[in-house]
Amino acid sequence: MADAQDLDSLFGVFYLQNTDDAKTEKANEIFKTLKSLDYFSEDVECKKADNFMYGNVYYWHGEVAFEENNFQTASKLGQKALLYIEKIGDLFMLSDCLNLVAISEFSLGNYQKAIDFFNQCYQIDLKTGDESRISSSLNFLAEVYLQINRPQIAEKYILQSIEIEKKLGRRAQLAIRYGRASAVYLQLNDYPLALDFAKRACQLDSVDNRQEKMAVRLVQTSEVYMAMDSDSMALKILNNALEIFETTENNKYIAVCCCKIAKLLFKTTILTMPKTITKNRWFCAVKWGLNRWNAMWNRDYTLFLNKKTAIRLLFI
């Protein structure tokens, strides 16, 4: 069974080939390996070294780089792939490629570049008429505008995305959109609406038995209560979330909960450690959370959560 290291080696060998036939052979070997690693389910085969082959090789190399948190490399490869994919005229491939570059730039903190590429992606999605892609791009745009503290613009995008998801009936994605809307209204200091959307998200994940996702929504709900100075309610909700994360052994979100609880305890001048925080939990908080304290309170979780638990989850 091939692994990611084999894949990296294959890409390197592909770039070293001097003839079109050799490149085509290596490209097909790359595509078979990608399929075996579940990057896609359908067979992809190239007959010759053309725009389709080069576009796909650079695009998928970019995806692999993104998986490995090499965001700068992912962006460069994605932009290189664009040169070939634009010549093909396949709007869906173009959308995927623009999306890869946009998320990579977002992950690097280059928010204006991310907005530019997300907007291009959104325009392509509108041409395809694919509502799931349109909703995803709107959700992306809402998050980027949240990061640059422009919630009024983010509100416009996320509400459009919510309406699409209601129409599509995709409950998991709708819960994500509700969570994003809660963050938007929290930034707008509209606490009733922020709380309402957080509760809607939590309810959807609870009913559909997405326990860990529901726990994430509980953390989000606690943030609203903290903003409202309802510290006792926030503490209760965080402890409920903490129990779920301990069951799933999600150390990073255990750290998030512990740090938020710590902040509440400092705020309320409760200096004794409550029973709900064991020494192991506290150590986890110190290890994963306290050295990223400022980033966490700025809501930039991508600075200390890895891609699979943050960025991709964020943008589903």
Side-chain angles (χ1 to χ4, degrees):
M1 182 67 177
D3 58 21
Q5 188 172 1
D6 295 329
L7 197 52
D8 285 335
S9 177
L10 282 174
F11 281 116
V13 172
F14 170 84
Y15 298 128
L16 291 174
Q17 300 308 303
N18 295 319
T19 67
D20 287 349
D21 287 345
K23 283 186 179 292
T24 302
E25 181 182 348
K26 288 302 174 184
N28 286 326
E29 192 175 345
I30 288 171
F31 299 145
K32 287 180 181 178
T33 304
L34 286 165
K35 183 182 177 183
S36 73
L37 293 172
D38 296 326
Y39 278 86
F40 47 76
S41 57
E42 297 181 358
D43 290 330
V44 176
E45 185 176 3
C46 298
K47 301 296 184 183
K48 59 181 180 180
D50 56 9
N51 290 325
F52 178 84
M53 184 198 76
Y54 283 107
N56 271 280
V57 168
Y58 285 123
Y59 168 73
W60 287 109
H61 195 184
E63 283 283 356
V64 172
F66 188 92
E67 288 281 336
E68 296 172 348
N69 295 337
N70 295 326
F71 304 127
Q72 190 168 11
T73 298
S75 180
K76 288 181 179 179
L77 287 165
Q79 291 180 68
K80 204 163 189 177
L82 278 172
L83 299 176
Y84 296 96
I85 293 173
E86 286 173 342
K87 296 175 183 178
I88 298 171
D90 187 316
L91 294 180
F92 293 100
M93 288 180 65
L94 189 56
S95 171
D96 288 340
C97 198
L98 287 165
N99 183 276
L100 170 63
V101 177
I103 296 177
S104 299
E105 292 297 335
F106 174 88
S107 304
L108 291 166
N110 299 328
Y111 297 131
Q112 188 53 57
K113 284 186 177 180
I115 289 171
D116 292 341
F117 281 107
F118 279 138
N119 271 319
Q120 291 181 57
C121 185
Y122 175 54
Q123 294 304 316
I124 295 296
D125 293 336
L126 288 175
K127 289 181 181 179
T128 69
D130 187 317
E131 291 191 313
S132 64
R133 287 174 178 265
I134 293 170
S135 174
S136 180
S137 289
L138 289 167
N139 184 49
F140 280 133
L141 285 164
E143 177 58 23
V144 183
Y145 277 107
L146 266 180
Q147 292 294 328
I148 61 175
N149 296 313
R150 299 185 67 182
Q152 294 86 354
I153 299 177
E155 178 187 21
K156 176 184 68 174
Y157 289 124
I158 198 60
L159 291 181
Q160 290 180 57
S161 183
I162 285 172
E163 290 307 309
I164 293 173
E165 292 303 339
K166 285 180 179 178
K167 179 181 175 181
L168 294 176
R170 302 194 307 171
R171 291 169 61 87
Q173 283 76 13
L174 182 58
I176 292 170
R177 306 305 188 257
Y178 281 156
R180 184 80 67 252
S182 176
V184 168
Y185 287 111
L186 181 59
Q187 202 171 98
L188 287 168
N189 296 322
D190 190 334
Y191 301 139
L193 269 179
L195 190 59
D196 179 55
F197 277 109
K199 287 181 176 179
R200 290 193 211 180
C202 192
Q203 183 178 22
L204 277 176
D205 284 330
S206 176
V207 170
D208 294 347
N209 201 31
R210 293 184 291 272
Q211 288 299 304
E212 195 165 54
K213 294 280 185 71
M214 183 192 72
V216 173
R217 307 302 168 206
L218 287 173
V219 172
Q220 193 168 27
T221 304
S222 75
E223 293 174 349
V224 182
Y225 279 115
M226 289 173 72
M228 297 168 63
D229 290 325
S230 298
D231 294 342
S232 60
M233 181 62 75
L235 189 59
K236 178 181 178 181
I237 291 172
L238 283 169
N239 277 307
N240 291 338
L242 189 56
E243 289 181 9
I244 296 173
F245 291 132
E246 287 192 319
T247 300
T248 60
E249 298 182 350
N250 189 326
N251 285 336
K252 293 180 178 67
Y253 266 104
I254 289 173
V256 171
C257 289
C258 285
C259 286
K260 288 184 180 296
I261 290 171
K263 185 179 182 182
L264 285 169
L265 296 179
F266 291 136
K267 179 180 177 182
T268 55
T269 66
I270 301 175
L271 301 179
T272 58
M273 187 180 297
K275 294 180 181 179
T276 53
I277 302 183
T278 65
K279 290 182 179 179
N280 286 338
R281 290 178 184 174
W282 192 258
F283 174 78
C284 183
V286 172
K287 181 178 179 181
W288 288 98
L290 295 182
N291 63 329
R292 300 292 193 273
W293 189 281
N294 289 332
M296 187 169 63
W297 301 134
N298 288 330
R299 301 182 57 79
D300 194 359
Y301 295 104
T302 61
L303 291 181
F304 72 102
L305 297 180
N306 65 29
K307 186 273 310 174
K308 287 187 177 180
T309 57
I311 299 172
R312 285 295 194 197
L313 273 180
L314 195 67
F315 293 141
I316 289 175

